[in-house]
Amino acid sequence: MDLGLGPAEWEAVRLSLWVSMWATLASLPFGLLVAFALARWRFPGRALLNGLVHLPLILPPVVTGYLLLSLFGRRGPLGQILEQSFGITIAFQWTGAALAAAIMGFPLMVRAMRLAIEAVDPKLEEAAATLGASRITIFLTVTLPLVLPGLIAGAILGFAKALGEFGATITFVSNIPGQTQTLPSAIYAFLQVPGGENAALRLVVASIALAMLALALSEWFAKAAANRVAGR
Amino acid sequence: MNLSVDIRHSFSEFTLNAGFDVPNGITGLIGPSGSGKTTLINAIAGILRPDHGRINLGECQFFNERIGTCLTPQARKVGYVFQDYRLFPHLNVAKNLDYGRWIRGLPNDTAKRSRTVELLGLEHLLGRRIGSLSGGEKARVGIARALLSNPQLLLMDEPLAALDADRKKEILPYLERLRDEAELPIIYVSHALDEVIRLATSLVIMKDGTVKMSGAAKDVICNADSATFLGADAVGALLSGTPTGLVADGLSEITVSSAKIWVPEISGDPSRKLRIRVRANDIILSRKPPEGLSALNVLPAKVTRISGGMDAARMVQLSVGDELMLAQLTARSVHALELDKGTDCFAILKSVAVSHNDIGGG
C-alpha cells in the first residue's frame, strides 16, 4: 500500500490545516477573555457563560451545525447581515468550516487556558503592586509570562480539535472538495465510493499523525506552564 | 516620618478597628493568630481598602475616606515582606531583587544592592530559580526584594518565622542597623513578643481585630495593663543601659539609670547603647537592703502603682531612677511587705535571669 498522498488528499490536508489555523487564531482573543473571566471574575451570568462555552462539547455536533446553518446561512439573520453589510458569505465556504471548527474547539481551548490562569496565585500580583507595578505592567510582567505556556497549550488543543471536526462542519457547510472538504470529510467521502479505502486509510494515518503531534506539543507546553508557576 | 492609622473595616466574621500613631523605628505589631495583624498591614499597603478612616505617612495621605483618597499600592512606595514570600516564580533570584527598581525605572545603585545581597547572604543564590530555594532562603530574598524597591515604609509580616535560630541571629543586628540608620519606619508583625522585643521601639498590641494598646515599647512593657494581652511573663521592663567596660567572671557591668547591674557577658562595642529586657516574674522585692543573697543586682526602687484583680497575683510598678519596671508578686507578699504607692524598697534581679536574647542594641 502506498502511503504517499495524492493531490486530492493533499488538498484535504492543506485545507484542514488552513481552516484550523484560522479557527484557532480567530477564537484566541475570545478564548483568552472568557478564560480570564471564568478564572478570575465573579459576575452575574458566570454559570450561564460557563455552560454556553461547554455546550458544543456535549451537544450532538449535527445540532451545532444546524444552529450555525440557521444563524449564518444565506437566509439566517446573521448570515444576511454579514452578506449585505460586508459582502461575506459563510455558508458553504471555507470560512464557514473555520467558524464551525472554532466553535467546536472553543471549550477545549478555554478549559486549558482557564486551568493555566487558575494556577497563578493572584497574590503574586499584589506583591508586584507593592513593588511599584501598575495593573498593565503587572499583567505584562507577572501574569502573562506565567500563563503564556498554558495559553499556548490551550491554543494547540483547540487547533487539534478543529482538525478533527466533522459533524458540525458537514451539516453547516457540506462537503465541497477544495472549499469545505477537510480531512474527516474527505475520509468520509472516500469511504462512500468503491475503491476509495486506500485513500481513506492514508488520510486516517495523516490524521493520527497530526493529532499525536498536536497532543504532544500541547502536553509539552502544559508541563512548561506548570514548571514556570512552580519556579523550576 | 510618622505613620498614623485610624481605620475601621467590617468583614462578615470580624471587624477591624485600628487606631495608632508610630514614629520612625521598628514598631512591633503583636497579637495572636487571627487577630487581624495581616489585615491591618494590608490596609496600610493599599491591598485592602478600609470602609472608614484615614492612613497617613508623614504628609502623604495614603487613605482618607472623607475626601475619597485611596492611593494604589504602587503609589504608596511601601516595601512589603510577605509571610508567604510571594517571589515571582518565573524570574530568578537576581531578577526578583531587581524587579522593583526595574519597574520604577530607578538607577542601579550597585553599592546598595551588593550590600543588601551580602547582608542577607544571597551572593550564591542570585542565579537560582525560586522553586529550588528553601523557606529561609525565600524569606531572605523577600526581605532583600522589599528593601531594594526603595520603600518609604517597610512592612514585615512574620519575616523571620521560617529562619533557623542562627540565621535569625545574623539578620536581627541588620534590622537593628536599618532601624537606627534609615529614616524608615518599619512595621514588624509577629505573634510572639520575644521575637520583636529586642528590636521594637514601639509596640502595637492587637486582639480580636482591635488595637488594644500602642506606644513606645518601654512604656507598653512596664504597663500592668499590657499583662492582660501579653501575659504576665511577657511584661516587665525594657531598660536602657551602657556597658561600663567592666567584665568579670563571665559577666558585664551595665549602667542603667542611676544604678549598675551585672548581666551575662556581652560581646561587641563596649560603648554602644543596649536595651535589656527584664521579666516581671524574675523580680524579687525587699523592704530592707538584702544581705547574704546570691542575686547580684539590687536596685533601690520606689513603688509607683499596684494593680491586679481578683486572683492571687499583683503587678507592682516600680521606679528605678528614670526607669519604670513591673514586678509580679503575690497579693500575700504585697500585704506582708506593706507595699503601697510611694513605698521605698529594693528590686532584686538574678543576673542569669537575663539571657542573651534579652539584650539588644539600643
Side-chain angles (χ1 to χ4, degrees), chain B residues 41-343:
Chain B
I41 57 170
N42 279 347
I44 296 171
I47 293 171
L48 169 85
R49 188 195 171 116
D51 295 335
H52 304 289
R54 46 156 202 84
I55 301 171
N56 295 8
L57 179 65
E59 297 295 301
C60 182
Q61 295 218 343
F62 279 4
F63 172 70
N64 190 327
E65 176 217 358
R66 202 169 307 153
I67 59 173
T69 309
C70 185
L71 293 188
T72 57
Q74 71 261 28
R76 297 190 187 197
K77 294 198 180 162
V78 164
Y80 195 149
V81 181
F82 296 92
Q83 195 175 3
D84 49 358
Y85 323 124
R86 302 194 193 175
L87 305 179
F88 303 125
H90 58 302
L91 304 176
N92 65 16
V93 170
K95 285 186 173 146
N96 265 279
L97 295 185
D98 295 333
Y99 185 86
R101 180 183 62 74
W102 175 63
I103 287 295
R104 291 208 163 102
L106 301 171
N108 190 3
D109 186 345
T110 45
K112 181 181 177 181
R113 187 180 187 274
S114 51
R115 202 170 62 235
T116 311
V117 164
E118 190 192 331
L119 275 163
L120 290 158
L122 302 175
E123 300 96 329
H124 62 291
L125 298 177
L126 290 174
R128 292 265 290 274
R129 309 277 316 172
I130 299 305
S132 70
L133 301 181
S134 70
E137 288 168 340
K138 284 180 184 168
R140 277 144 56 200
V141 175
I143 294 172
R145 183 179 70 171
L147 285 173
L148 289 173
S149 71
N150 271 355
Q152 24 174 351
L153 168 68
L154 189 60
L155 304 173
M156 308 180 93
D157 196 355
E158 310 240 5
L160 305 185
L163 299 183
D164 55 40
D166 286 343
R167 185 56 79 170
K168 258 184 211 173
K169 241 180 241 169
E170 276 179 56
I171 291 182
L172 283 173
Y174 171 58
L175 293 176
E176 258 168 26
R177 253 166 61 199
L178 207 67
R179 174 191 69 193
D180 300 337
E181 287 170 12
E183 288 284 288
L184 179 72
I186 300 173
I187 309 279
Y188 188 113
V189 173
S190 179
H191 63 275
L193 182 71
D194 287 350
E195 192 180 301
V196 287
I197 192 65
R198 59 168 285 184
L199 291 174
T201 44
S202 307
L203 287 175
V204 173
I205 298 170
M206 283 193 88
K207 201 183 174 200
D208 302 329
T210 305
V211 169
K212 300 288 187 186
M213 299 194 69
S214 67
K218 251 177 136 53
D219 301 341
V220 172
I221 287 299
C222 67
N223 185 335
D225 299 337
S226 306
T228 322
F229 308 109
L230 298 174
D233 51 345
V235 296
L238 211 51
L239 307 172
S240 309
T242 322
T244 61
L246 217 55
V247 176
D249 306 325
L251 299 168
S252 297
E253 194 184 41
I254 314 282
T255 308
V256 173
S257 189
S258 55
K260 287 188 171 57
I261 62 170
W262 290 94
V263 299
E265 186 174 343
I266 47 160
S267 49
D269 177 9
S271 65
R272 72 190 175 125
K273 299 267 282 172
L274 297 173
R275 32 197 279 161
I276 299 148
R277 181 194 182 188
V278 174
R279 289 174 182 76
N281 46 14
D282 286 334
I283 304 275
I284 295 171
L285 289 189
S286 166
R287 285 296 298 266
K288 294 180 201 139
E291 282 171 27
L293 194 70
S294 71
L296 293 172
N297 305 313
V298 178
L299 305 164
K302 190 189 277 286
V303 176
T304 50
R305 188 182 155 199
I306 299 176
S307 37
M310 311 294 286
D311 61 356
R314 295 285 180 273
M315 280 292 177
V316 179
Q317 194 188 46
L318 310 161
S319 66
V320 178
D322 328 323
E323 303 272 0
L324 288 175
M325 67 165 67
L326 287 176
Q328 190 186 27
L329 271 62
T330 57
R332 182 194 286 191
S333 300
V334 170
H335 190 73
L337 293 178
E338 295 175 336
L339 294 177
D340 204 348
K341 197 176 166 183
T343 311

